[in-house]
Amino acid sequence: MKIIAARLIVCSPDRNFVTLKIETDEGIYGLGDATLNGRELAVAAYLEEHVIPCLIGRDPSRIEDTWQYLYRGAYWRRGPVTMCAIAAVDVALWDIKGKALGTPVYNLLGGKSRDGVLVYAHANGSNIEEAVDSVQKHVEMGYLAVRAQSGVPNVASSYGVPKAGKSYEPAERGLPSESLWSTERYLNFAPKLFERLRSEVGEDLHLLHDVHHRLTPIEAARLGKELEPFHLFWLEDPTPAENPDAFRLIREHTLIPIATGEVFNSFWDAHDLIRNQWIDYLRLTIVHGGGITALKKTADFAAVYQVRTGFHGATDLSPITMAAALHFNLAIHNFGIQEHMCHTALTDEVFPHSYSFDAGYMSVTDAPGLGVDIDEELAARYPYQRAYLPIARKLDGTLTDW
Ligand code: GCO
Ligand code: MG
């Protein structure tokens, strides 16, 4: 089998997606997600100009060799754009291999280790009352795990809370919006949110919370300690993770489980955090981390230290990534949980897929490959529109982590 063509499908049904389609001389094609929220065309150009010319004529079955060719052969290593491009090729090749062998990708990764993939939903509200209501709505929908985010009193806009009446989509078309943030007000508020949530939903529901990189290590330690009575499933991105030592400091003060890594793009970003067991869940995911090949190596390393996966799964990761993640999550032993932020009906129409949600878990069918496709004609009706993630500033105007 030979690769005879590879091309990008860039579309924006509700938000931007970049999809790589690799075609072979046997009529089988594979799909890979190449979406990097807010920097989509950088990855498209990297693939178009520097990767696709090298793919033509290659044997698509040589997945490991192609991964090494694209990683080591670029000379300049790692980074979100490079690893997202490599991921797109890698996932498309796993899709092709599954289709060529007539088997779902999870079978190529060791077969099922579980019958379904535990997922968590996004609940949010502009205040505690709305957040409680949203969590309860998701419990009624069958979720066993729910992330709760709330507006903070006297803070104009908090992370994870949609604008009135809209679903939560952080990327905004046009130039980046700017919002003001107050750590002090957030730190005084967050424990009240979870005290109320626990009293409303009881002990069994897994509650998660995303700090979104906004605290210093000692502030994160304080928050973790104050949230301990409400036994969260995890506290996510408590502090920026460029300095892994920051997580040692948090670990010294609190038992709260820690998740981080959605902004990582390589094993090496997580190496110290895993081997020192400074985190409990790794969020690094397939589309941003170099693909299935890279994540398998990383997850296996993490398993040795009893660190589990908790893949990022926001709407800016396409249904192709969701499908790949579900196959991966079904197979590996040290699976933790999968984020499930539902795509819109239009996005699901552009990317028909065989995965489904039921009673707190997601699963895939035994369709060969990833079990996901792209409706190119429909996609073409929604052309790319530049969009950015927001910028955050402290009340005194200092730029801070959004
Ligand atoms: C999450 C993430 C998202 C990111 C978004 C960036 O936990 O799902 O933090 O909300 O902000 O994916 O593109
Ligand atoms: Mg997050």
Side-chain angles (χ1 to χ4, degrees):
M1 189 186 285
K2 289 272 176 280
I3 294 172
I4 55 171
R7 55 194 167 82
L8 291 168
I9 300 150
V10 183
C11 64
S12 196
D14 290 284
R15 48 147 303 103
N16 295 318
F17 293 110
V18 179
T19 302
L20 174 68
K21 184 168 189 173
I22 296 180
E23 294 169 306
T24 68
D25 58 356
E26 293 185 17
I28 293 175
Y29 64 84
L31 296 175
D33 182 13
T35 307
L36 184 65
N37 203 1
R39 295 296 183 272
E40 293 87 355
L41 296 192
V43 183
Y46 190 103
L47 283 162
E48 193 77 62
E49 299 301 327
H50 306 297
V51 172
I52 288 175
C54 305
L55 296 179
I56 310 305
R58 282 188 72 88
D59 175 352
S61 72
R62 298 182 62 175
I63 297 177
E64 180 71 29
D65 181 61
T66 300
W67 194 94
Q68 298 294 342
Y69 179 94
L70 295 175
Y71 181 78
R72 299 175 190 277
Y75 188 72
W76 311 106
R77 294 189 184 185
R78 298 161 60 188
V81 173
T82 296
M83 299 311 284
C84 196
I86 293 175
V89 175
D90 186 75
V91 169
L93 297 185
W94 280 100
D95 193 19
I96 288 168
K97 190 176 280 280
K99 288 173 177 176
L101 297 175
T103 189
V105 167
Y106 68 73
N107 259 344
L108 305 175
L109 299 173
K112 285 186 178 180
S113 296
R114 55 195 56 77
D115 298 320
V117 172
L118 176 68
V119 293
Y120 72 88
H122 277 209
N124 51 52
S126 63
N127 56 44
I128 289 186
E129 295 309 322
E130 284 185 14
V132 168
D133 184 50
S134 178
V135 167
Q136 287 171 330
K137 278 202 176 65
H138 284 89
V139 170
E140 285 153 23
M141 288 160 69
Y143 285 97
L144 303 174
V146 181
R147 185 188 90 162
Q149 306 292 137
S150 171
V152 175
N154 303 314
V155 173
S157 91
S158 304
Y159 161 71
V161 181
K163 294 198 168 46
K166 290 190 173 179
S167 62
Y168 181 61
E169 173 49 73
E172 296 162 326
R173 291 165 173 169
L175 293 176
S177 67
E178 297 209 359
S179 59
L180 290 179
W181 171 252
S182 162
T183 292
E184 298 74 13
R185 291 173 186 167
Y186 166 72
L187 283 174
N188 292 333
F189 169 76
K192 295 184 183 114
L193 170 66
F194 286 95
E195 181 179 24
R196 176 68 190 283
L197 277 169
R198 260 304 163 223
S199 70
E200 294 285 346
V201 300
E203 298 298 298
D204 289 349
L205 181 70
H206 293 312
L207 285 173
L208 302 86
H209 182 60
D210 192 346
V211 183
H212 218 257
H213 326 277
R214 299 190 174 194
L215 303 179
T216 63
I218 200 65
E219 288 168 347
R222 167 188 157 187
L223 179 62
K225 211 167 172 58
E226 291 181 359
L227 292 179
E228 279 180 14
F230 315 119
H231 56 265
L232 269 62
F233 184 89
W234 79 30
L235 189 66
E236 179 182 337
D237 286 332
T239 192
E242 288 98 328
N243 171 17
D245 283 348
F247 287 74
R248 175 182 47 74
L249 187 149
I250 296 168
R251 215 48 156 189
E252 284 167 355
H253 291 275
T254 175
L255 298 174
I256 198 165
I258 300 287
T260 201
E262 68 182 48
V263 297
F264 291 174
N265 55 77
S266 137
F267 162 81
W268 296 106
D269 294 325
H271 179 226
D272 286 344
L273 293 171
I274 293 170
R275 70 188 180 86
N276 290 304
Q277 295 171 307
W278 290 339
I279 60 171
D280 303 282
Y281 298 92
L282 179 62
R283 303 257 308 135
L284 173 67
T285 192
I286 288 169
V287 60
H288 299 137
I292 290 170
T293 300
L295 263 295
K296 188 69 174 68
K297 296 172 177 15
T298 304
D300 288 346
F301 180 82
V304 171
Y305 294 91
Q306 301 188 64
V307 172
R308 286 171 282 184
T309 63
F311 280 164
H312 184 198
T315 43
D316 48 286
L317 287 63
S318 96
I320 297 168
T321 291
M322 178 52 83
L326 291 172
H327 283 272
F328 192 95
N329 291 331
L330 277 169
I332 59 161
H333 181 256
N334 59 319
F335 163 72
I337 199 166
Q338 168 65 46
E339 181 174 6
H340 180 221
M341 195 178 162
C342 297
H343 291 103
T344 63
L346 179 56
T347 293
D348 284 343
E349 218 183 318
V350 171
F351 295 94
H353 52 265
S354 67
Y355 61 74
S356 58
F357 170 82
D358 179 42
Y361 292 81
M362 286 181 80
S363 56
V364 297
T365 64
D366 281 348
L370 294 174
V372 61
D373 207 338
I374 185 165
D375 180 332
E376 294 191 53
E377 201 183 303
L378 186 58
R381 288 190 225 155
Y382 303 96
Y384 166 81
Q385 297 183 55
R386 184 186 295 129
Y388 290 92
L389 286 169
I391 301 284
R393 290 184 183 276
K394 294 185 179 176
L395 299 183
D396 68 357
T398 306
L399 198 115
T400 188
D401 295 291
W402 169 71

